[in-house]
Amino acid sequence: MPYILKNNKIDKNYEEKFFEIVKDNLPDSKIELFNNLLTLKTETIRHFLSDISLAAKDGNKLEKDRFDEILSLIFSIRRHKGKILEKFSVEELNDAFACLSDLKKSSEIRIGRFLEVFSYEDVIVKRDIALEVLHFYAPEKNVLWTSWIYRQDNGTGCLPYTADFLKRTFDGNPYIMPFSIREMKEETDYLYELAGKNGLPLKRPYGADIFLSYMYSDYVYKMVYAESKSLSIGVPDGFTLMKKLLGIEKIEMQFALS
């Protein structure tokens, strides 16, 4: 049974042309820059979760400015950050994020506990926080799966957008829409395989992140141009939008000043 990408018959002509275009628009120098900035983001999140664990052992709590810093790195919740920081106390924030720092538990258990403890009304926001923090805490183990990549509830995101470009052949069987971390990992693994086969060797653990952010920025530009070319003047350039999606724009500014 096919997934969104995996196990589908893909039109070879579309496949080759698609990756030629991506390679032309995503130079090695940009990929290297993104990899470096995403590595810094991983270091920031690892330090944050480590500090939560150490503080808890000593009976202490991290202050809200530390949570502000981490939430600022998650693009999809940008409109909710202020409300979250206002709604939750320091104790509640520490207790919730401590669920994600528990290395003795599986990712699925940590996410489940975070969703239970973090009593925010928007479940998509809660999932995006948990999945992005866990991805960057251990990017070699956990795939990036936020709502701009793929939303379970309505089937939108840049993963289906990518699949549409590749002109999959529908054989009448239902698709498996990723609903578990394991299924999403299989989709991501196949993306690495497909890209490598077509001369785009995405480097783990961030290659898929970079590729999918490129696809989302492409989607935004096409949608804006479809509405009005004049509106496109206010849209950031593709690489700036990719940095925003990946939550590394501020990290780049800090790195430049250091």
Side-chain angles (χ1 to χ4, degrees):
M1 188 177 291
Y3 284 63
I4 296 176
L5 286 176
K6 185 179 165 75
N7 301 330
N8 277 281
K9 183 178 180 182
I10 296 174
D11 187 298
K12 188 64 179 176
N13 292 325
Y14 281 100
E15 179 183 336
E16 292 176 353
K17 184 62 178 177
F18 170 76
F19 281 102
E20 284 177 13
I21 293 170
V22 175
K23 284 185 287 184
D24 287 343
N25 290 303
L26 198 56
D28 291 343
S29 59
K30 290 294 184 183
I31 292 176
E32 182 180 5
L33 171 64
F34 280 105
N35 272 312
N36 291 337
L37 293 174
L38 291 167
T39 299
L40 291 174
K41 180 170 177 175
T42 283
E43 292 174 1
T44 300
I45 287 180
R46 283 178 175 171
H47 186 56
F48 166 72
L49 289 184
S50 175
D51 284 352
I52 281 185
S53 296
L54 291 173
K57 288 179 181 177
D58 296 334
N60 298 321
K61 305 288 183 183
L62 299 190
E63 296 300 325
K64 279 195 177 181
D65 62 319
R66 294 294 302 278
F67 295 94
D68 190 345
E69 176 190 12
I70 297 303
L71 293 174
S72 296
L73 303 180
I74 306 175
F75 170 81
S76 58
I77 67 147
R78 63 200 184 284
R79 295 187 182 92
H80 295 263
K81 187 188 73 166
K83 186 176 179 181
I84 288 170
L85 293 172
E86 181 180 347
K87 171 182 172 63
F88 294 100
S89 67
V90 166
E91 290 74 17
E92 289 170 327
L93 289 169
N94 276 267
D95 290 345
F97 281 85
C99 298
L100 301 177
S101 68
D102 188 354
L103 296 179
K104 296 178 182 179
K105 303 294 188 300
S106 69
S107 296
E108 289 83 357
I109 290 175
R110 281 185 276 172
I111 291 169
R113 290 188 173 178
F114 178 83
L115 295 179
E116 181 180 359
V117 172
F118 195 65
S119 57
Y120 194 67
E121 62 273 14
D122 192 323
V123 69
I124 298 296
V125 168
K126 296 200 294 184
R127 286 186 74 259
D128 279 2
I129 293 172
L131 286 164
E132 181 145 347
V133 168
L134 285 182
H135 169 64
F136 284 102
Y137 182 73
E140 66 286 348
K141 294 181 180 179
N142 302 309
V143 297
L144 182 62
W145 181 9
T146 45
S147 53
W148 62 266
I149 291 177
Y150 177 66
R151 276 188 64 158
Q152 295 169 306
D153 59 333
N154 60 15
T156 60
C158 63
L159 187 61
Y161 178 66
T162 301
D164 288 341
F165 258 104
L166 295 170
K167 300 297 179 184
R168 301 161 299 166
T169 299
F170 182 58
D171 60 6
N173 293 320
Y175 291 120
I176 295 176
M177 308 303 275
F179 274 92
S180 71
I181 292 176
R182 178 187 60 79
E183 290 169 349
M184 194 64 181
K185 184 177 185 302
E186 289 184 10
E187 286 281 68
T188 304
D189 287 344
Y190 181 68
L191 182 57
Y192 278 108
E193 177 187 332
L194 189 64
K197 185 177 70 172
N198 285 278
L200 182 66
L202 300 175
K203 185 179 178 181
R204 293 176 186 267
Y206 304 117
D209 306 2
I210 297 167
F211 174 85
L212 290 169
S213 70
Y214 166 82
M215 290 305 301
Y216 191 90
S217 70
D218 182 80
Y219 166 78
V220 168
Y221 271 95
K222 283 184 170 58
M223 290 302 101
V224 171
Y225 268 101
E227 289 294 326
S228 168
K229 289 185 179 180
S230 63
L231 290 176
S232 66
I233 296 173
V235 179
D237 68 85
F239 291 118
T240 298
L241 182 53
M242 287 171 66
K243 291 171 190 174
K244 290 179 181 294
L245 285 165
L246 294 170
I248 53 177
E249 193 177 32
K250 288 186 177 180
I251 290 176
E252 183 182 34
M253 294 172 60
Q254 293 167 356
F255 182 71
L257 293 172
S258 63

